Amino acid sequence: MSTTAEPAITLYGTPLSGHSHRVEAFLNILGLPYRFVEAGAELRRSDSFLALNPFGQIPVLVDGDLVLPDSAAILVYLADRYDASGLWNPKAPEEAARVQRWLSVASGDLRFGPALARILTLWGGAGSLADAQRVAERALRFMDGHLADRDWLAGERPTIADIACYAYVARAPEGRIPLDPYPAVRRWLERVEAIPALTPMPTSVIPQHA
């Protein structure tokens, strides 16, 4: 009797995490088989998970003997390891710097802007919703101006910069941040969602009391 081997790659994440979505989307784009392990709060507190990432955060990618936390680091690794074209994470100095800049935006302004506003609206927690919305609106104004005369964030074609920035911008309205004022951003979101094999970021229902 034949058996099917487990994929070499395992992704620990949750379906509604934008950080996890970045990695899952890119795995799908690259056509890489993987196993998805839903890592809810209880699992993230377990000794087995903390052995993978002592910070208890998702996503975590396991590829053979490699254990790699942090969504930006994972995107870079996957592009460099599995994208034979070299186009998703270009190596020419100027292009590479532009990609890195947007990875930093994804980890900074987007994390503490639309991502935090979404968390506070959907699930509550510590932090100021008004402050997160202000950070988000500043970031979205900048992105809208940047995208006014270009299709992609870092170059002439999509890169991991676009994948990193997509999820929390797409779901900014779930943090009560409308996208209507940002037409260039909305057109960019449509282009990202048209990338073959990319699955859009799942939507969430905003609580009535939020």
Side-chain angles (χ1 to χ4, degrees):
M1 183 176 67
S2 63
T3 59
T4 302
E6 284 285 330
I9 297 174
T10 299
L11 173 63
Y12 292 83
T14 62
L16 294 180
S17 163
H19 286 70
S20 298
H21 180 271
R22 297 168 183 168
V23 178
E24 191 168 10
F26 197 45
L27 286 165
N28 291 332
I29 289 168
L30 294 177
L32 296 173
Y34 64 95
R35 181 172 67 104
F36 184 85
V37 176
E38 186 160 351
E42 183 175 353
L43 177 60
R44 296 199 300 272
R45 290 191 294 266
S46 68
D47 291 340
S48 61
F49 187 85
L50 292 172
L52 300 175
N53 184 2
F55 292 106
Q57 297 171 340
I58 51 173
V60 174
L61 185 90
V62 179
D63 187 4
D65 293 332
L66 174 71
V67 178
L68 186 61
D70 185 87
S71 60
I74 295 169
L75 291 178
V76 170
Y77 166 75
L78 291 174
D80 290 351
R81 174 70 176 82
Y82 292 107
D83 172 32
S85 75
L87 296 174
W88 283 99
N89 188 33
K91 292 296 179 269
E94 290 186 11
E95 293 176 292
R98 286 195 293 267
V99 169
Q100 183 58 57
R101 181 197 188 193
W102 285 101
L103 294 180
S104 296
V105 170
S107 298
D109 293 73
L110 297 185
R111 176 184 177 187
F112 295 106
L116 180 56
R118 176 174 174 265
I119 288 171
L120 294 174
T121 301
L122 296 179
W123 300 293
S128 165
L129 177 59
D131 287 346
Q133 289 170 331
R134 280 193 289 270
V135 172
E137 289 160 3
R138 181 183 63 195
L140 289 169
R141 282 197 304 272
F142 172 71
M143 289 185 70
D144 200 65
H146 179 77
L147 289 163
D149 59 354
R150 53 176 57 85
D151 289 340
W152 306 102
L153 291 174
E156 298 300 317
R157 53 157 290 124
T159 66
I160 57 173
D162 300 283
I163 305 305
C165 291
Y166 159 73
Y168 289 125
V169 173
R171 298 296 168 255
E174 294 176 3
R176 299 203 179 280
I177 301 160
L179 292 175
D180 292 346
Y182 313 109
V185 167
R186 287 186 280 110
R187 291 192 296 269
W188 168 75
L189 290 172
E190 292 174 358
R191 287 189 289 272
V192 174
E193 291 180 348
I195 294 172
L198 183 141
T199 302
M201 174 70 179
T203 58
S204 300
V205 177
I206 301 174
Q208 293 297 316
H209 58 78

